[in-house]
């Protein structure tokens, strides 16, 4: 979390005492002195790529502000860090954000203080398996070494739900590995991990690299049949979509589970700044799409649909302005 230096505290005390006149630092009067920190995700994931692009757009197009994207353990960590003020903006899976706002699931009894700027593109849940592990269907995951993503991340939560929906206890019927995407792909290549879950846009750089580095050694299994039990247990937050063969040069399209993504912020961010941060997403969307194709896969008509996480008043004003 940001901390004040002794010098800054002393200068403030002297100023209040009327003993000295301290020159205004650059960015004084702006939110956090003009610094904005964006919580993203694993370094080989789409959150990190797009978060970096978004930071560049803010720095370029929001006068007085400089934004910086930070790698993190993704959704769960991001929501907590925004709620505590350690980060200002974050990308997150919508299901994890809903739990955090309501104080449910892994946030049981601890509702997080966050609001939203926008619903953006959808994340596709990938189930990648080593062909030598002889996993050809979902139930074959029993007894296998399975990475469900960084501890407390959105995919860690979603993978646990998928496993339960498919009749597998994630804590007793698999060897659960909670690894970041870079650690997971290393394990898959080394043969110390049999299967992995990951939620991301298309294509996810880390998965692209994994499949390219070991042609024919991995497969992506379908998950679409689990939507009904997922919906029964957790509500209509998950959808089904085809993961197109063009994304990773797979033999066929793969039916899988998708979940929306949100951009969330601290409710303490000033209304005008929240308005400007939202405006950047749409007025410079073409620039963001050049960073990653998913930057083009959201629109102003559906972006305000962030329930149950409420919109920041500044974002709501942007959408109502036409």
């Amino acid at each position: 979390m940001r901390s004040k230096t002794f010098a800054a505290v002393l200068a403030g005390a002297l100023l209040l005492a009327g003993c000295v006149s301290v020159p205004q630092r650059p960015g004084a009067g702006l939110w956090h002195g003009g610094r904005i920190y964006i919580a993203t995700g694993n370094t080989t994931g789409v959150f990190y790529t797009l978060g970096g692009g978004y930071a560049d757009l803010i720095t370029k197009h929001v006068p007085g502000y400089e934004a910086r994207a930070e790698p993190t353990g993704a959704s769960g960590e991001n929501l907590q860090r925004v709620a505590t003020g350690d980060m200002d903006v974050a990308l997150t899976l919508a299901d994890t954000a809903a739990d955090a706002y309501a104080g449910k699931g892994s946030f049981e009894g601890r509702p997080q203080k966050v609001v939203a700027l926008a619903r953006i593109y959808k994340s596709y849940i990938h189930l990648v398996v080593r062909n030598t592990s002889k996993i050809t269907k979902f139930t074959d995951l029993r007894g296998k070494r399975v990475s469900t993503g960084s501890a407390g991340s959105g995919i860690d939560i979603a993978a646990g739900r998928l496993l339960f929906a498919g009749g597998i206890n994630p804590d007793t019927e698999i060897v659960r590995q909670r690894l970041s995407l870079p650690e997971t792909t290393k394990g898959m290549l080394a043969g110390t991990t049999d299967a992995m879950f990951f939620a991301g846009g298309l294509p996810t750089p880390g998965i692209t690299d994994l499949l390219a580095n070991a042609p024919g050694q991995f497969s992506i299994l379908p998950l679409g049949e689990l939507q009904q039990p997922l919906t029964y247990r957790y509500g209509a937050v998950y959808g089904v979509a085809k993961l197109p063969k063009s994304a990773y040069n797979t033999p066929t399209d793969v039916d899988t589970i998708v979940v929306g993504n949100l951009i969330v912020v601290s409710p303490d961010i000033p209304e005008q700044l929240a308005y400007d941060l939202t405006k950047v997403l749409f007025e410079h969307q073409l620039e963001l799409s050049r960073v990653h194709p998913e930057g083009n896969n959201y629109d102003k008509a559906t972006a305000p649909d962030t329930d149950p996480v409420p919109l920041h008043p500044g974002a709501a004003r942007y959408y109502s302005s036409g």
Side-chain angles (χ1 to χ4, degrees):
M1 188 175 290
R2 303 176 185 83
S3 61
K4 295 179 179 179
T5 65
F6 174 77
V9 174
L10 178 61
L14 292 171
L15 180 62
L16 288 172
C19 299
V20 66
S21 176
V22 179
Q24 290 278 1
R25 70 184 186 282
L30 298 174
W31 170 257
H32 289 161
R35 297 276 185 169
I36 295 175
Y37 293 87
I38 303 174
T40 61
N42 295 169
T43 54
T44 55
V46 178
F47 274 6
Y48 183 72
T49 303
L50 279 179
Y54 187 32
D56 290 342
L57 292 181
I58 292 168
T59 301
K60 183 177 179 181
H61 299 293
V62 180
Y65 285 93
E66 179 181 342
R68 176 175 173 176
E70 298 285 350
T72 68
S75 300
E77 177 185 333
N78 292 355
L79 288 155
Q80 293 180 63
R81 294 181 73 177
V82 167
T84 60
D86 190 41
M87 291 282 159
D88 306 304
V89 182
L91 288 86
T92 175
L93 295 179
D95 58 342
T96 312
D99 283 354
Y101 181 75
K104 296 180 179 179
S106 62
F107 297 92
E108 187 66 40
R110 300 179 294 111
Q112 303 296 299
K113 187 182 176 185
V114 295
V115 291
L117 295 184
R119 175 179 290 270
I120 48 174
Y121 68 95
K122 294 177 180 177
S123 279
Y124 291 69
I125 298 183
H126 303 62
L127 172 55
V128 185
V129 301
R130 286 183 57 84
N131 293 337
T132 56
S133 297
K134 298 181 180 179
I135 303 170
T136 60
K137 57 185 184 298
F138 192 82
T139 53
D140 292 337
L141 291 172
R142 282 192 180 90
K144 297 298 194 292
R145 300 163 297 181
V146 182
S147 174
T148 58
S150 304
S153 64
I155 187 54
D156 188 36
I157 295 167
R161 291 178 172 183
L162 280 163
L163 287 159
F164 269 122
I168 298 174
N169 187 315
D171 298 315
T172 62
E173 294 187 284
I174 63 169
V175 179
R176 190 170 191 171
Q177 300 176 335
R178 286 185 161 104
L179 304 173
S180 69
L181 182 55
E183 292 170 328
T184 296
T185 55
K186 286 180 183 178
M188 293 284 280
L189 288 167
T192 56
T193 300
D194 301 310
M196 61 171 284
F197 288 93
F198 193 77
L202 300 180
T204 291
I207 294 177
T208 297
D209 292 344
L210 173 67
L211 300 181
N213 286 333
Q217 293 188 30
F218 301 100
S219 298
I220 301 177
L221 295 193
L223 294 169
E225 64 183 15
L226 296 177
Q227 187 200 18
Q228 187 172 353
L230 273 175
T231 299
Y232 178 78
R233 284 175 175 262
Y234 305 108
V237 67
Y238 301 103
V240 175
K242 289 189 181 297
L243 196 161
K245 60 184 179 181
S246 60
Y248 303 106
N249 295 315
T250 52
T252 62
D253 296 342
V254 179
D255 288 333
T256 195
I257 302 296
V258 292
V259 59
N261 296 303
L262 304 182
I263 295 179
V264 298
V265 297
S266 165
D268 297 329
I269 281 184
E271 181 177 328
Q272 185 59 47
L273 176 56
Y275 177 97
D276 292 337
L277 294 177
T278 309
K279 180 179 178 181
V280 161
L281 284 169
F282 297 94
E283 295 207 349
H284 301 283
Q285 188 171 2
L286 179 60
E287 293 173 66
L288 195 58
S289 71
R290 290 171 181 154
V291 175
H292 190 281
E294 292 289 11
N296 195 46
N297 292 333
Y298 60 91
D299 63 74
K300 191 175 178 181
T302 58
D305 299 334
T306 61
D307 287 342
V309 182
L311 285 172
H312 189 292
R317 177 161 65 88
Y318 172 77
Y319 296 119
S320 66
S321 65

